[in-house]
């Protein structure tokens, strides 16, 4: 048992199999985590990192709220405040919500399609390490006292060298560039995994809704990331090489930045929400004991949201002066996004209708999403109406909107996911009592914190102000909101305590028996926690909710009756010698080079040299490293299961061929 | 380039992962180049006090180098066709030819850039100049990366590791190469041939 | 009364409903920036659109919330039987229904939205009679609004803007009136704003009179405001524009047409030469130290022969001080120039002259914002005496109206 | 794309080298025609003509050299999605910038 597992879960001592690590494998220790190419471990790494950054971003949020608790606040000065709120936005969006989605996607997506790993396991590790490198690079700016301070959407020309002469915006541009590479790699990887690694019989329309939503998100990333890549390149060139893309003095139009940013930025907000929609679509059916209502509608509305998300970006620019015709067109396109989203909300409610609802913590969080996201969605529709938005934009009403959709939609959804899949990942459930405390404090606190922001915004409080004067009617609700955040913090604490206590309680006990929730999808075929090779044998899929259909059937009267117990249906997880991809050092080495190159651009080009060397050497080594180490513990071997021919057919046996693409690129 | 390419039937769609990866990447690149091209187009008449695009482009010269790049697509596809037949020798020759044509194109670009520089169009002269150099520079970097990949193939061919079995690698590099060519077809027409503003 | 009404309307917004049960505190009776209290035709037409939309949102909110609550209660597993619920996979008709109903609602809302949008972007010819320097002209009220870090400049061109080149806001042709932070408009008239910026993007916003519109360098965007009644209307720069963004505020003072004419006359008045010795001394300091940035007509302004060189700032401009005393607020609308009783707020003004970055964060070393001038206390006194000669103070009503709290 | 969009496996018939050369010649001819517009004034049809020629070249390289004509439609979908998305989105941007009308 490795130390790093213990780190993740301080009290889950060595006796309790944890996470991906149910069977002892050679090596051990931190090296396993650094060199792993196992999608489950990578998922856990993503999750742990995201939670760490959540505390960082949350701490920044606390500072914001303390500063604004009273008029003429003096907790931080204007300069620091601007850095804090900017980093808060960046951290929460790029280093909390996106990696949380990556965590769930990495861990679950291969399992849900019955695969052994993702299509390109080393690329997968690479994207995690690059993401981490980018996140650390961005936060390194705090250490040099020069964090980005131009807001998360960094409107030019305020972010050019003239008006932001420090290095803050360089950290922003280069840091997000690095994080973007990670997203792009992982997007390609997951798309190909879904398309190419499905278990036999699993057609696209037999995939769980979660898998679908992740697929849509990866397509959004695939096409949206290059757009912000362009924007960030132009910004870096402007700042460091003297180009004039955003320099009005030379005749450039600063609105170019806004277009590029929001062409990325709007699809980005659906990138933030759709994974959570996917999770909710798994949790609600399970705890209602009913299939998802209108599966095809759910899938198509997700796809529709993905598509429509590309045609609405200028609703962030209603007051930029882009002309009434453009404004009108974007008003209309934005309004109609409410339609596919409404379908989702109502279908979730219809799923609950007639069910037998078990209010476990996961279900509570999922239904929390249904109601809280709606609040945010509705305020979204009010600012879709451009004339109304001219009063709302850049006020706390917007801040309220996006925290309702992001916290109330995305984050609560991820918490539902935590409670739902914790036994799958760590072999034991999270405690229900604390879970309910967790839910209610978070729900109440979140409404206390962000509900009043609607009122503040309508009262005319602008966002991104480091302080306000008394006499504008802002005092009361600001204090109120600040108190609310402390309730949220309490909620987060309950979660942390729950994680620790549950692990401690589970110590020495056998892992959670299969199928703790009477679930429906493929990941529950394997025992808890998931064995390193995922599945003993290939699952032949013949219907949506395959797992459920193996357990239950309907009798002549149409009543649902059990045909097999979960224990009978589940696999034992004891197959041996399964062909798995081997760990590699190169992803982490390559990733380490990127922030060095970034720092070199900022401070001294010589620092670029070791960075570039790291990248080149590891690329070279990567290309010539056999993806399978014949001597390694994960190396060649053959499935000794009843049907020996399986080995070749196992979809997603981490097809090492995949990695050759690394060699050509 | 060492791994035993898994038989194609491993995957659900029957398509190789690697090829799909390249196509996904190319789909993504469309938005990258689209962004750069748009950044150029909105800035092409913002030449401040510097030279205007219409004053400075040398169409006959660029036509020649565009033609060179276009023809490198032919040599590339011939290289692929050779390796698919198992003709390692011809494959190598065509790969080399492709790399050579690509280098010729890059040489042409370097020449073009230096001429422009002499005529007073530096990177920092105007929004137009920044956008022009950034767009064509990005394209040039893509071509150069392509040349590096081609040369790696040539080297591995000399070492005898590039055979009919891994013709897919050649195919994938080829896809990238053709894409870069296709982008230039776009750039050449839209940026050079469509009349540009003059000062 | 009005407060209650406002509160009820505000409660139509979905999440404000959540706030409702939290108590009836905070009804914004003193909310100067309130967006739901329109005091002019354009703000009102926005309000007329947002009101029903908040209602619709409120209804949808109640349906979803009530529905979820009902489902929770009705379908909770009470372990009364062991029956497994029926496996319903969907209902095509229902789903079509709840695709179509929101679509229809949105189409209806969309029609009204586009109508309002068109209304806000139309402009009418509404010339008003005005006498400028004794000659009566007809003026279509329009003001050039220029944002810079971190204050607003307003320029009035009574001959109209045809032929006035606004493309380079750092070098604008001389205007009839140049003032700062406090915009003065006649009531009952549509006042067209030509909004631009000298440095970064700002946003001009007087909530009671209309929504906001960004001030983008290199772009001149059209917007308009109008006030029904005389009064002072507050505003806040609402696009993040750097360090002192929060301290970049503004006010619009609406005057009846007669008062407006009086204000114009006053602004066109040349400044009087100071006579008081302290003021004379202050003027000398001003000429050597301040005039490199600030314009005072007759000292270094257009009424003088010396052309304005432009300020030693990235924005190339500092507030025109010719009629400083005629405004009631300064430095981005964050300080009051007068005490409520109409006397000068000396302490604040002196503090400003002593060390302005301490009063309002600025990036003086990067030539953004006013630097600390390092004046001695006596010099400050003299400068204040001089500044007091610049323009006539406004009416006590206006002074009273600009007090917040 | 071609009507009988090909089988989803890679064991398709490749065109002969001669076919490739033919296509290259075609591309060269079109390029020559394109370049000739620089020397000969063809009036208002210039830009449409250039666009058509560009698209034809683009199409031929993609369909033949990149084998989209013979390969899995999935590839075409990936590429065309990116292409259409990029074209649509950036054309809207240019429209908002009044590129077409404002020069
Ligand atoms: C998770 C992220 C997320 C999501 C899902 C959304 C969803 C939506 N957003 Fe939001 N948005 C953000 C994150 C998100 N947003 C962020 C971060 C910003 C600020 C960026 C910044 O400035 O920093 C922002 C800003 C923002 C603006 C710009 C405001 C401004 O700055 O002036 C607008 C304007 O139109 C908008 C609209 C919408 C709309 C219409 C939806 C729709 O998708 C919502 C649809 C959902 C519903 C409507 C509810 C359910 C529907 C029904 C129950 C059916 C019945 C409903 C009706 C008939 C109305 N959003
Ligand atoms: C993406 C997700 C996301 C999330 C989850 C949050 C969460 C929170 N946000 Fe965030 N926010 C944004 C995204 C997000 N935000 C964005 C994009 C912006 C715009 C930035 C911009 O304008 O550029 C923004 C802006 C923003 C503002 C406006 C700032 C301004 O305009 O001036 C405010 C103000 O109240 C705020 C508050 C909060 C609060 C109180 C939370 C809380 O919910 C946080 C709760 C979490 C915790 C409290 C962590 C728990 C901590 C512990 C358990 C440990 C405690 C540790 C110590 C005390 C050491 N946010
Ligand atoms: Cu000016 Cu904010
Ligand atoms: Cu948006």
């Amino acid at each position: 048992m490795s130390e790093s597992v213990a780190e993740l879960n301080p009290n889950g001592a060595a006796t309790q199999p944890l996470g991906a690590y149910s069977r002892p494998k050679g090596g051990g220790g931190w090296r396993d985590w650094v060199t792993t190419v196992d999608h489950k471990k990578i998922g856990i790494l993503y999750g742990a990192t995201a939670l760490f950054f959540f505390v960082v971003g949350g701490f920044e949020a606390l500072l914001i709220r303390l500063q604004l608790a009273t008029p003429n606040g003096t907790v931080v000065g204007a300069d620091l405040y601007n850095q804090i709120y900017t980093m808060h936005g960046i951290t929460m969006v790029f280093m909390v919500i996106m990696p949380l989605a990556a965590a769930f996607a990495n861990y679950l997506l291969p399992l849900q399609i019955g695969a052994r790993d993702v299509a390109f396991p080393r690329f997968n590790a690479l994207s995690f390490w690059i993401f981490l490198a980018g996140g650390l690079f961005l936060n390194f700016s705090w250490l040099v006292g020069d964090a980005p301070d131009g807001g998360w959407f960094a409107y030019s020309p305020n972010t050019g060298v003239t008006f932001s002469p420090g290095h803050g915006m360089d950290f922003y541009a280069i840091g997000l560039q690095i994080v973007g590479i990670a997203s792009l790699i992982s997007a390609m990887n997951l798309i190909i995994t879904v398309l190419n690694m499905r278990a036999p019989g699993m057609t696209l329309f037999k995939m769980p809704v979660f898998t679908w939503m992740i697929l849509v998100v990866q397509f959004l990333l695939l096409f949206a990331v290059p757009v912000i890549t362009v924007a960030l390149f132009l910004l870096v060139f402007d700042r460091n090489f003297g180009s004039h893309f955003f320099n009005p003095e030379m005749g450039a139009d600063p609105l170019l930045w806004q277009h590029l940013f929001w062409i990325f930025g709007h699809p980005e907000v659906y990138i933030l929400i759709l994974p959570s929609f996917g999770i909710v679509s798994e949790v609600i059916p399970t705890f209602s004991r009913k299939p998802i209502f209108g599966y095809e509608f759910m899938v198509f509305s997700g796809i529709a949201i993905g598509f429509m998300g590309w045609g609405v970006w200028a609703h962030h620019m209603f007051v930029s002066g882009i002309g009434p015709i453009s404004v009108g067109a974007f008003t209309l396109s934005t309004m109609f996004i409410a339609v596919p989203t409404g379908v989702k909300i109502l279908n979730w409610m219809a799923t609950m209708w007639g069910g037998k609802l078990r209010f476990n913590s996961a279900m509570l969080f999922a239904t929390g999403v249904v109601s809280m996201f709606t609040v945010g969605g509705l305020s979204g529709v009010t600012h879709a109406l451009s004339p109304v938005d001219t009063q709302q934009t850049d006020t706390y009403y917007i801040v309220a909107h996006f925290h309702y959709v992001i916290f109330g939609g995305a984050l609560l959804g991820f918490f539902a996911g935590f409670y739902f899949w914790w036994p799958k990942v760590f072999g034991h459930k999270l405690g229900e009592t604390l879970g309910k405390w967790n839910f209610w404090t978070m729900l109440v606190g979140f409404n206390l914190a962000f509900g009043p922001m609607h009122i503040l915004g309508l009262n005319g409080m602008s966002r991104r102000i480091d302080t306000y004067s008394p006499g504008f009617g802002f005092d009361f609700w600001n204090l109120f909101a600040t108190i609310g955040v402390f309730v949220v913090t309490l909620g987060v604490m309950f979660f942390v305590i729950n994680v620790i206590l549950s692990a401690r309680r589970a110590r020495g006990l056998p892992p959670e028996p299969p199928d703790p929730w009477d679930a429906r999808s493929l990941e529950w075929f394997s025992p808890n926690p998931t064995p390193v090779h995922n599945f003993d044998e290939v699952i032949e899929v013949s219907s949506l909710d395959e797992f459920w259909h193996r357990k239950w059937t309907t009798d002549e009267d149409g009543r649902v009756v059990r045909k097999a117990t979960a224990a009978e249906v589940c696999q034992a997880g004891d197959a041996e010698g399964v062909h798995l991809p081997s760990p590699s050092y190169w992803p982490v080495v390559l990733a380490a080079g990127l922030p060095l190159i970034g720092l070199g651009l900022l401070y001294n080009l010589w620092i670029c040299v070791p960075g570039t060397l790291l990248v080149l050497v590891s690329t070279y080594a990567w290309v010539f490293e056999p993806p399978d180490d014949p001597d390694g513990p994960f190396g060649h071997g053959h499935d000794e299961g009843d049907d020996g021919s399986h080995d070749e057919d196992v979809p997603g046996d981490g097809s090492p061929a995949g990695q050759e693409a690394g060699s050509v690129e | 380039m060492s791994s035993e390419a898994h038989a194609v039937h491993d995957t659900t769609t029957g398509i190789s992962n690697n090829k799909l990866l390249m196509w996904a990447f190319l789909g993504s690149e469309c938005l990258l180049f689209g962004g750069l091209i748009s950044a150029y187009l909105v800035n092409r008449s913002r030449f401040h006090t510097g030279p205007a695009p219409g004053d400075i482009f040398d169409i006959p010269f660029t036509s020649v180098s565009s033609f060179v790049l276009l023809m490198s697509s032919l040599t590339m596809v011939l290289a692929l066709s050779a390796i698919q037949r198992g003709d390692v020798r011809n494959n190598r020759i065509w790969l080399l030819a492709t790399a050579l044509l690509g280098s010729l194109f890059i040489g042409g670009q370097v020449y073009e850039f230096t001429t422009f520089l002499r005529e007073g169009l530096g990177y920092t002269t105007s929004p137009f100049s920044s956008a022009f150099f950034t767009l064509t520079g990005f394209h040039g970097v893509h071509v150069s990366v392509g040349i590096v990949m081609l040369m790696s193939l040539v080297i591995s061919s000399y070492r005898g590791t590039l055979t009919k079995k891994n013709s897919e690698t050649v195919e994938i590099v080829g896809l990238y190469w053709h894409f870069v060519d296709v982008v230039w077809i776009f750039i050449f027409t839209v940026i050079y041939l469509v009349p540009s503003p003059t000062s | 009364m009005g407060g209650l009404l406002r509160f009820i309307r505000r409660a139509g917004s979905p999440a404000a409903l959540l706030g409702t049960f939290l108590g009836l505190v905070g009804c914004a009776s003193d909310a100067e920036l309130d967006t739901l209290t329109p005091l002019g035709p354009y703000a009102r037409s926005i309000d007329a659109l947002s009101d029903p939309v908040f209602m619709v949102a409120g209804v949808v909110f109640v349906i979803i919330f009530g529905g979820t609550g009902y489902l929770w209660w009705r379908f909770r597993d009470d372990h009364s039987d062991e029956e497994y619920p029926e496996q319903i996979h969907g209902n095509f008709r229902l789903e079509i229904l709840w695709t179509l109903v929101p679509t229809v609602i949105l189409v209806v809302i969309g029609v009204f939205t586009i109508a309002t949008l068109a209304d806000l972007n139309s402009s009418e010819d509404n010339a008003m009679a005005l006498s400028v320097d004794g000659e009566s002209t007809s003026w279509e009220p329009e003001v050039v609004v220029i944002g810079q870090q971190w204050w607003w400049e307003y320029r009035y061109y009574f001959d109209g803007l045809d032929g006035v080149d606004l493309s380079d806001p750092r070098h604008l042709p001389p205007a009839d009136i140049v003032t700062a932070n406090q915009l003065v408009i006649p009531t009952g008239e549509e006042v067209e704003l030509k909004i631009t910026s000298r440095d970064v993007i700002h946003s001009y916003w007087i909530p009671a009179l209309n929504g906001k519109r960004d001030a983008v360098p290199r772009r001149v965007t059209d917007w308009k405001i109008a006030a029904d009644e005389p009064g002072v209307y507050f505003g806040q720069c609402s696009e993040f524009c750097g360090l002192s963004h929060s301290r970049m505020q503004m006010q619009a003072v609406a005057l009846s047409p007669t008062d407006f004419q009086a204000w114009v006359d006053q602004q066109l008045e040349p400044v009087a030469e100071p006579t008081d010795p302290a003021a004379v001394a202050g003027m000398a300091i001003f000429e050597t130290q301040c005039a490199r940035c600030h314009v005072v007509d007759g000292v270094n302004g257009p009424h003088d022969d010396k052309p304005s060189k432009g300020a030693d700032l990235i924005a190339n401009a500092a507030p025109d001080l010719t009629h400083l005393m005629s405004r009631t607020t300064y430095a981005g609308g964050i300080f009051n120039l007068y005490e409520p009783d109409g006397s000068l707020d000396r302490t604040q003004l002196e503090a400003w002259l002593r060390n302005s970055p301490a009063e309002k964060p600025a990036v003086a070393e990067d030539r953004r914002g006013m630097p600390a001038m390092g004046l001695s206390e006596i010099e400050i006194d003299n400068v204040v005496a001089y500044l007091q000669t610049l323009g006539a103070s406004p009416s006590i009503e206006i002074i009273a109206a600009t007090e917040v709290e | 794309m071609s009507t009988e969009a090909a089988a989803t496996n890679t064991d398709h018939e490749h065109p002969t080298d001669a076919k490739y050369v033919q296509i290259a010649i075609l591309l060269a001819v079109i390029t020559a025609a394109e370049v000739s517009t620089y020397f000969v004034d063809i009036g208002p049809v210039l830009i449409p003509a250039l666009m058509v020629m560009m698209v034809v070249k683009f199409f031929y390289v993609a369909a033949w050299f990149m084998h989209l004509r013979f390969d899995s439609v999935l590839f075409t979908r990936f590429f065309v999605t990116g292409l259409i998305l990029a074209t649509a989105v950036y054309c809207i941007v240019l429209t908002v910038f009044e590129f077409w009308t404002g020069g």
Side-chain angles (χ1 to χ4, degrees), chain C residues 202 237 239-241 245 248:
Chain C
H202 306 268
C237 171
E239 190 67 77
F240 181 70
C241 53
H245 159 66
M248 181 166 172

Side-chain angles (χ1 to χ4, degrees), chain A residues 120-205:
Chain A
F120 303 99
R122 281 192 297 179
F123 272 166
N124 206 21
L126 180 66
S127 56
F128 167 74
W129 293 111
I130 293 185
F131 150 68
L132 182 65
L136 294 178
F137 179 82
L138 267 162
N139 279 284
F140 181 74
S141 63
W142 284 123
L143 297 185
V144 296
D146 204 355
D149 62 355
W152 84 286
F153 49 70
Y155 275 5
S156 72
N158 187 37
T159 49
V161 263
T162 317
F163 300 102
S164 295
H167 280 312
M169 293 321 294
D170 294 315
F171 277 108
Y172 169 92
I174 297 169
L176 289 191
Q177 197 75 287
I178 296 177
V179 174
I181 299 173
S183 297
L184 197 60
I185 295 177
S186 125
M188 295 194 282
N189 201 347
L190 292 180
I191 289 174
I192 292 159
T193 306
V194 174
L195 292 180
N196 259 354
M197 319 285 280
R198 278 166 286 146
M202 175 165 278
T203 56
L204 287 178
F205 280 88

Side-chain angles (χ1 to χ4, degrees), chain A residues 78-79 82 85 149-151 153 155-158 162-163 165 248-249 251-255 258 288-295 297 318-322 324 327-328 331-332 335-336 338-339 343 345-347 349-350 352-359 364 367 370-372 374-375 378-379 381-382 385-395 397 404 440 447-448 454-455 457-460 462-467 470-474 476-477 480 518 520 548 552 559-560, chain C residues 7 10 13-16 18-19 22-23 25-28 30-36 43 46 49-50 53-54 57 60-61 63-65 67-68 70-72 74-77 81-92 94-96 98-99 102-103 106-107 109-110 113-114 116-117 120-121 149 170 198-201 203 205-208 210-214 216-219 221 223 234 236-247 249 314 361 366 368 404-405:
Chain A
D79 185 27
N82 294 341
Y85 88 74
D149 62 355
F153 49 70
Y155 275 5
S156 72
N158 187 37
T162 317
F163 300 102
E249 250 171 284
D253 191 332
L255 292 200
Q258 299 188 12
S288 305
R289 297 175 174 250
K290 280 183 63 203
I292 186 87
F293 189 90
Y295 169 81
F297 253 70
F318 280 155
V319 303
S320 296
I322 53 174
V327 167
T331 298
L332 293 177
M335 286 169 62
F336 288 99
V339 174
V343 167
I345 302 277
L346 289 158
N347 275 15
M349 293 173 68
M352 291 195 267
W353 179 276
K356 275 202 163 170
L357 312 186
R358 288 170 293 161
F359 286 107
L364 287 174
T367 50
V370 176
S371 47
M372 290 302 119
T374 303
V375 175
L378 291 173
S379 57
V381 172
T382 67
L385 316 181
S386 49
V388 179
D389 188 56
T390 61
Q391 289 286 20
Q392 297 172 346
T393 187
D394 281 312
T395 68
Y397 191 80
Y404 265 84
W440 287 110
N447 280 293
L448 297 183
H454 292 97
I455 301 178
L458 294 177
N459 278 354
S462 280
R463 62 192 283 204
R464 300 172 158 191
I465 55 175
D466 61 287
T467 183
F472 287 97
F474 302 154
F476 175 80
W477 289 116
F480 197 95
D518 187 13
R520 315 181 73 90
W548 189 88
W552 302 90
R559 294 214 328 271
V560 175
Chain C
F7 185 78
R10 195 171 280 109
S13 118
L18 289 171
L22 301 170
V25 212
C27 331
D30 54 354
E32 303 288 355
L33 293 167
D34 193 10
T35 61
L36 298 181
I46 292 175
L49 177 64
S50 66
V53 170
F54 280 148
V60 175
F61 168 76
I63 293 173
I64 302 292
F65 244 67
T68 314
Y70 174 76
L71 292 168
W72 273 37
R74 170 81 160 67
F75 294 108
R76 72 194 181 282
D77 187 0
D81 57 41
E82 288 304 300
E83 205 71 16
Y84 209 93
E86 193 195 339
Q87 301 292 296
I88 308 164
H89 288 272
N91 181 326
F92 194 67
L94 266 183
E95 288 165 275
I96 292 294
W98 58 59
T99 311
T103 310
L106 290 169
V107 167
I109 297 178
T113 309
I114 296 300
T116 313
L117 181 68
L120 287 177
N121 284 285
Q149 288 176 326
R170 294 190 190 168
R198 292 192 171 114
D199 41 38
V200 303
I201 301 179
S203 195
W205 185 37
I206 309 280
N210 202 345
K212 52 184 84 70
R213 180 58 45 112
D214 283 358
V216 183
R218 281 278 150 187
R219 277 178 174 242
T221 38
W223 199 227
F234 286 75
Q236 160 80 47
C237 171
S238 51
E239 190 67 77
F240 181 70
C241 53
L243 190 60
S244 257
H245 159 66
S246 66
R247 294 171 186 79
Q249 298 168 3
I314 289 179
D366 277 325
R368 298 187 284 145
V404 188
E405 248 157 318

